[in-house]
Structure formats: C-alpha cells, structure tokens
Amino acid sequence: MARRAFAVVAGGMVAGAALLIQATPARAGEGMPQLDFANPLTLAQVVWLGIIFFALYLLLSRWALPRVAAVLESRAAAIAADLDAARGAKEKADTAVDELTRATREAHANAQAEIAQAVAIAKQTADAQAAEMNARLDAQIAAAEGRIAQARAAALGALSQVATDTAREVVDRLVGGGIDNATVSRAVADVLAARAA
Amino acid sequence: MAAEHASIDALGQFKLHTVLGPIGASVNFTQSNLLMVIASALILALMYFGARPRAVVPGRLQAAAELAYDFIYRMVSDQIGHEGRKFFPFVFTLFFFVLFGNLLGLLPFSFTYTSHIAVTAALAITVIVLVTIVALAIHGLHFFSYFWPSGAPIALAPIIVPVEIISYLSRPVSLSIRLFANMVAGHVMFEVFATFMVMMAGAGAVGYVGAVGPLAMNVIMMGFELLVAALQAYVFAVLTCIYLHDAVHLH
C-alpha cells in the first residue's frame, strides 16, 4: 500500500516536473541534457560507470564484505561458545542439584530407619522390663497367696484344736468324761468339713 | 544563475561537464563519474572502518557497517532464498551505489548520477542481462517456459507469449525510468522553488517575506527527497532480488 501511495506521489511529481519543463522558456535547442545523446559525455559517463561499478563490486566482494562477514561470524562464534559454556555449567549445576537431592533423600531414609530401630529396641526393652516386672509381681503375689493360705491353714488348724478342746470340755461337763479324744476330734473335723463344704 | 536570466532553468543542473582539468577532459571524465568515485570511496570507507575494530560489542560505525551488511543479506536471503547468497555482493553493490548516488546528489554543488537515464538504464540492463544469464545457466532452454504460464489453454498462446515477453523486456525499462524520473523530478522541484525564492527576493522587501514560502517548501522537499533517495535505492535492490528469484526458481 505504501508503495502504491508512493507511486501515486512519484507519478504526480513526474507529471509536475514535466509541466514545469514544458512551461520553462527553454532556450532553442535545449531539451533534457540526459537525452542529449549527441553529447559524447552522456555515453562516456556510462563507460566510466562500468569501470567504477565493476571496481566497486570487486573491492566489496573480495575485500570489504568478507571483513564484515568475519566480524559477524566471530561474534556469532563467541556467542555460541558462551552459550555452550553456559549450557555446560547449567548441566553441571543440575547434576549437582540431583546429587544433593539424592543425598538428602538417602540421609532422610537412613534417619527414618535408625529412628524405627531405636523405637523397636526401646519397645523391646520396655516389653522385657514389663514382663520382668509382671513376673516379679506374679511371684510376689504367689508368695503372698502362699503365706495367706499358710496363715489360713494355721488359723483353721488352731480353730479345730480350740473346737476339739471346747467340745471335750462341753462333753465332760455334760456327761462327765469317759469319751476319748479321738472320737471328739473326728466329730469336730466332720462338722468343720461340712461347714467348709 | 537562473535569477540573472530571470527564467527558470530547471534542467541546467543535469548538464554534464568534464572535471579534473585537461586530464579529465581527455578521457571524458565528468562530474557524474567523480561523484560515482566519491560514492564508491564512501561505501568502501564505511565497510573498512566499520569492520576494523572487530569488536564483539560494536561501536556506532561498526554497527552501521554491520547493519548495512545484514540489511542486504537478509533482503537477499528472504527474496531469493538460500541460492541467493552468491548474488549478495552484487545486490549490495547495486543498493549502496544507488543509495549513495541519490543521497550525495542532495548535497549542494553536487551532482546526482542517478538522474541520468543512461546511468540508470545501464544499471537496469546489467541487472536484466545478469538475470537472463543466471536463468539460462540454471535452467538451460527450460528457461523459455517462463514465458508460458503452466495450465494456460494452448489457444491463447499467440496472446500470452508476446505479453509475457513484453513484460519481461519492460522490466529494465520500468526499473531504469522509475529511478531516473524520481531523481529528476525531485531535483527539478528543488531548482524551481529555489529559483522562485531568488526571484522573489529580487523584488524587494515584500519579496523577502514572500520568499519564505518557497524556502519552507524546499525544506519540506528535502525531507521528502531523503525518503525518496532511500526508497528508490531499496526498490531498485528489491526488484533486482525479485527478478533474480524468478531466474533461480522460474515461477
């Protein structure tokens, strides 16, 4: 679009120039010097143009442009090398981070295992202590029960003695002797056994 | 000069004359050719002094040289493709030769060699001859299929083929006249407004005030001509690239 707009403007300018040239009171025999091919200079400049343009082309293509290209290439190479170095450093950093992460995870796992082991040992110890304590308490309970049973037996023995003595006394008072000890004690034992049952 | 004759001599600026005294006269070396040499020297100086620091971070001149290189390199690769790389020096030379010719012509007391149809035609013919040689070298006689759009009905051949041939041959004509006409038009307008200014100033105090008009016009024109100078060089180079693309790829 810009080009078309420009073409319109340029066309207008050319038209305007043509009008001006027509309106110019040109002196006789003078048109555009550019179209004056009778003048040897008009074509001579083209010969020089050929020489100068060719020389410029050779100098640019063989000498000047390769120099600029070399500068651009060296910059591109420097940038590429820097990028490579940066990429290498990043890779190294990444592996280091990976290692660190793995080491952290390992240490964490180790710590967990040790904690679990310590807990297990402590539990075992506690269990053992509890068992020992239970055993000791059981033994003490058993001993105490034994003592109680003994005391009870002793008490019961004393009771039968007292009962036998009391029974003989009572029998003696009632019937006035003549009854032997064995009979009394057997009768008391029978009665006690019947009570206990 | 124009004011002395009290008429507008818009075309006298395009008149050729020899320079460098008797030596220049003996070999018909004109001011046009002197400007060509100056333009070439400036282009080479830009590239030489631009590339000399070889800095990774470029300075201003180096950036300009690299920008110039990169601009044409990208144009050539975009327009022609990968095969276009070998035409890069030619397009570079063409673009900067035309650009510097256009820009140097805007300096006072200078001369615009691109305002001569002989010069622009010679450049355009160089382009078209190169394009034809490239096309023939790559495609051989198959090149002539370029004048026959594939799929067109055979009955239309008598019309299509001449049209295609004429459009092909008109390329150098349009290429050369576009540049020539733009440059001539701009410089004629400069001369006309400048002469108005001098004529008005010659009319006394009122004229001095009135002369501001043409002066302002020329200032605006100068900005516009800078655009035209760059744009026409670009158009010339881009069209060359497009023609080379056609030559390399045929359609």
Side-chain angles (χ1 to χ4, degrees), chain A residues 103-117:
Chain A
T104 310
R105 205 174 298 138
E106 249 169 49
H108 198 71
N110 283 348
Q112 287 288 4
E114 252 163 61
I115 288 169
Q117 206 181 348

Side-chain angles (χ1 to χ4, degrees), chain B residues 127-244:
Chain B
V127 167
I128 223 69
V129 167
L130 173 78
V131 164
T132 310
I133 289 172
V134 165
L136 282 171
I138 293 179
H139 302 286
L141 290 179
H142 189 65
F143 159 67
F144 291 101
S145 75
Y146 185 76
F147 301 113
W148 181 246
S150 58
I154 212 92
L156 289 176
I159 302 170
I160 288 173
V161 171
V163 165
E164 289 284 335
I165 290 173
I166 288 169
S167 84
Y168 189 80
L169 292 179
S170 68
R171 282 172 170 185
V173 177
S174 66
L175 199 57
S176 55
I177 288 180
R178 185 183 300 111
L179 177 59
F180 155 73
N182 270 290
M183 289 301 118
V184 169
H187 284 267
V188 165
M189 304 266 275
F190 273 136
E191 184 81 39
V192 167
F193 285 116
T195 312
F196 275 162
M197 199 164 62
V198 175
M199 284 163 84
M200 280 187 161
V206 182
Y208 277 115
V209 179
V212 172
L215 176 64
M217 196 61 206
N218 256 4
V219 171
I220 296 166
M221 280 276 300
M222 180 56 87
F224 187 66
E225 280 303 304
L226 283 170
L227 170 72
V228 170
L231 199 63
Q232 285 307 314
Y234 179 72
V235 166
F236 205 97
V238 160
L239 284 175
T240 301
C241 287
I242 291 171
Y243 297 158
L244 280 169

Side-chain angles (χ1 to χ4, degrees), chain A residues 52-74:
Chain A
I52 296 165
F53 190 83
F54 188 63
L56 177 64
Y57 173 76
L58 282 184
L59 283 170
L60 278 175
S61 62
R62 298 280 154 84
W63 173 67
L65 291 178
R67 284 165 51 90
V68 180
V71 173
L72 291 175
E73 268 163 28
S74 73

Side-chain angles (χ1 to χ4, degrees), chain A residues 14-182:
Chain A
V14 172
L19 279 176
L20 282 165
I21 291 161
Q22 275 185 347
T24 305
R27 277 151 290 193
E30 270 194 42
M32 292 180 87
Q34 292 98 318
L35 300 178
D36 181 14
F37 290 102
N39 185 351
L41 294 180
T42 307
L43 290 177
Q45 72 168 338
V46 177
V47 176
W48 280 110
L49 163 71
I51 296 167
I52 296 165
F53 190 83
F54 188 63
L56 177 64
Y57 173 76
L58 282 184
L59 283 170
L60 278 175
S61 62
R62 298 280 154 84
W63 173 67
L65 291 178
R67 284 165 51 90
V68 180
V71 173
L72 291 175
E73 268 163 28
S74 73
R75 171 173 317 128
I79 289 171
D82 286 357
L83 279 179
D84 274 354
R87 216 168 284 136
K90 190 188 177 299
E91 246 163 56
K92 230 179 268 176
D94 281 351
T95 46
V97 167
D98 280 351
E99 245 165 60
L100 182 66
T101 315
R102 211 180 50 236
T104 310
R105 205 174 298 138
E106 249 169 49
H108 198 71
N110 283 348
Q112 287 288 4
E114 252 163 61
I115 288 169
Q117 206 181 348
V119 167
I121 289 170
K123 205 181 274 178
Q124 218 174 343
T125 314
D127 283 354
Q129 277 174 353
E132 199 190 339
M133 182 80 79
N134 278 345
R136 208 167 58 225
L137 288 176
D138 282 351
Q140 281 175 358
I141 288 168
E145 274 174 354
R147 277 202 304 278
I148 289 168
Q150 221 175 345
R152 194 162 171 243
L156 281 176
L159 187 67
S160 74
Q161 189 61 48
V162 170
T164 309
D165 288 350
T166 311
R168 203 179 48 232
E169 281 300 313
V170 170
V171 171
D172 278 348
R173 292 268 181 91
L174 285 177
V175 292
I179 194 154
D180 64 295
N181 279 344

